[in-house]
């Protein structure tokens, strides 16, 4: 089947292929989809939903290679469990069972492994998920950067959640400040000489499923803005829905520390990862009602309606700026900050 590939076979894999942006999407669509029997070949969902008897279940998997392993507000273990739970939440599913696979470098600290495992247990207790199977491999020193974790998860989809095609006027909600995880990784990785209390937003979002209750019927889709930030996630949504997304910069919650560090390093917060936030597309007219309910939930006190769909340019994301102008917000291209999750 190699003749079907729309890629350059002389090309080498680089870090941009793992950043979640246009290079990652190209790799998945043009290579993996050619060989794997992907049932939803026109989209790249975070979880696969299937029927099992009277219920709908969601299944997902993810690997975590964050550097450094410990950062403000979390570590690789918390990140792995939250990431998998949040991928299930995008499908409207409450987590039931998780697996955890560990690839550990010879000489890794037992104390650090204890702290990482405990943080995974803490999130499971908070959400009701259970880690029921897993795998452990130890490789020679120098063959892995300390510790990598793979987690998979299965959850039960709420009867209230029925994803639908978005329409002009539908509103877009973000459940909290953006870019706090990506900025925390920057602070942990580089000595920027800055004093700040900023921590990662890494958190489980599964409580949205029960928290929204009947309002979940008016949610058209959800997506967690991890690699590539809200800019990349919204570009994916705009392309899938064949509509324009129009953002309001004034409404986007960004902490001053995120803005300041982004300014110093020349990084737009729109492209910084959020590991404990959710983008929610609410049916036209339901955004404000839903926002009031979301703000009352854990981790969601700063939730805002940040934009809406229009019938303008299909697949484009634009933003009304603070000074009243309008700019295009493209998908992430090239390498910005690797190994943030």
């Amino acid at each position: 089947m190699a003749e079907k590939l729309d890629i350059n076979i002389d090309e080498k894999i680089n870090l941009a292929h793992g950043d979640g942006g246009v290079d990652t999407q190209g790799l998945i669509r043009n290579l993996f989809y050619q060989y794997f029997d992907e049932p939803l070949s026109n989209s790249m969902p975070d979880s696969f939903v299937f029927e099992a008897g009277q219920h709908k279940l969601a299944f997902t998997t993810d690997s975590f290679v964050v550097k450094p392993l410990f950062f403000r507000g979390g570590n690789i273990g918390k990140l792995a469990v939250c990431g998998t739970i949040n991928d299930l939440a995008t499908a409207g599913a409450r987590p039931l069972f998780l697996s955890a696979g560990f690839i550990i470098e010879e000489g890794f600290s037992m104390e650090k492994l204890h702290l990482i495992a405990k943080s995974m247990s803490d999130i499971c207790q908070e959400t009701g998920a259970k880690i029921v199977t897993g795998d452990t491999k130890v490789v020679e020193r120098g063959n892995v950067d300390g510790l990598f974790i793979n987690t998979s998860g299965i959850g039960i989809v709420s009867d209230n959640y029925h994803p639908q095609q978005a329409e002009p006027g539908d509103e877009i909600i973000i459940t909290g400040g953006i870019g706090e995880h990506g900025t925390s990784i920057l602070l942990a990785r580089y000595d920027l000489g800055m004093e700040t209390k900023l921590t990662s937003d890494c958190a489980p979002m599964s409580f949205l499923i029960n928290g929204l209750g009947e309002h979940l019927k008016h949610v058209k889709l959800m997506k967690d803005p991890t690699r590539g930030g809200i800019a990349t996630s919204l570009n994916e949504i705009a392309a899938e829905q064949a509509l324009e997304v129009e953002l309001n910069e004034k409404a986007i919650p960004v902490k001053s520390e995120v803005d300041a560090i982004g300014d110093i390093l020349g990084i737009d917060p729109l492209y910084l990862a959020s590991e404990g936030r959710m983008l929610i597309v609410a049916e036209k007219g339901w955004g404000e009602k839903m926002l009031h309910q979301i703000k009352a939930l854990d981790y969601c006190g700063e939730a805002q309606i940040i934009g809406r769909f229009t019938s303008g340019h299909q697949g484009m994301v634009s933003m009304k700026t603070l000074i009243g102008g309008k700019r295009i917000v493209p998908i992430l291209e090239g390498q910005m900050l690797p190994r943030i999750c």
Side-chain angles (χ1 to χ4, degrees), residues 285-326:
W286 284 88
E288 286 293 341
K289 300 172 188 172
M290 214 173 283
L291 184 65
H292 179 73
Q293 197 164 356
I294 290 171
K295 278 178 172 288
L297 300 175
D298 290 342
Y299 312 114
C300 295
E302 298 175 348
Q304 292 291 340
I305 296 174
I306 60 171
R308 63 195 70 245
F309 286 95
T310 77
S311 56
H313 299 280
Q314 292 186 1
M316 191 176 83
V317 178
S318 63
M319 184 166 71
K320 290 182 179 177
T321 65
L322 294 173
I323 59 174
K326 180 176 179 178

Side-chain angles (χ1 to χ4, degrees), residues 194-314:
M194 298 183 67
E195 293 293 332
T196 173
K197 295 181 179 179
L198 184 72
T199 61
S200 168
D201 52 76
C202 179
M205 301 301 290
S206 54
F207 54 85
L208 278 171
I209 308 306
N210 287 337
L212 282 171
E214 290 289 315
H215 281 171
L216 199 59
K217 293 178 179 177
H218 302 286
V219 172
K220 292 195 167 181
L221 64 95
M222 293 187 280
K223 191 169 185 62
D224 52 340
T226 57
R227 294 174 302 173
I230 68 168
T232 297
S233 293
L234 290 171
N235 269 278
E236 292 173 5
I237 292 171
E240 291 169 4
Q241 303 299 312
L243 292 170
E244 179 175 343
V245 168
E246 187 175 87
L247 295 173
N248 179 2
E249 185 175 15
K250 188 177 181 181
I252 298 174
V254 187
K255 280 192 165 58
S256 57
E257 295 100 321
V258 173
D259 251 342
I261 294 169
D263 281 345
I264 291 171
L265 299 177
I267 296 175
D268 189 334
L270 296 176
Y271 293 91
L272 286 170
S274 301
E275 293 285 341
R277 307 296 185 222
M278 193 69 74
L279 288 164
I280 298 173
V281 174
E283 182 181 338
K284 181 181 179 181
W286 284 88
E288 286 293 341
K289 300 172 188 172
M290 214 173 283
L291 184 65
H292 179 73
Q293 197 164 356
I294 290 171
K295 278 178 172 288
L297 300 175
D298 290 342
Y299 312 114
C300 295
E302 298 175 348
Q304 292 291 340
I305 296 174
I306 60 171
R308 63 195 70 245
F309 286 95
T310 77
S311 56
H313 299 280
Q314 292 186 1

Side-chain angles (χ1 to χ4, degrees), residues 36 49 89 118 122 152 159 210 293 338:
F36 304 152
V49 176
K118 182 179 184 305
D122 289 344
S152 298
D159 291 338
N210 287 337
Q293 197 164 356

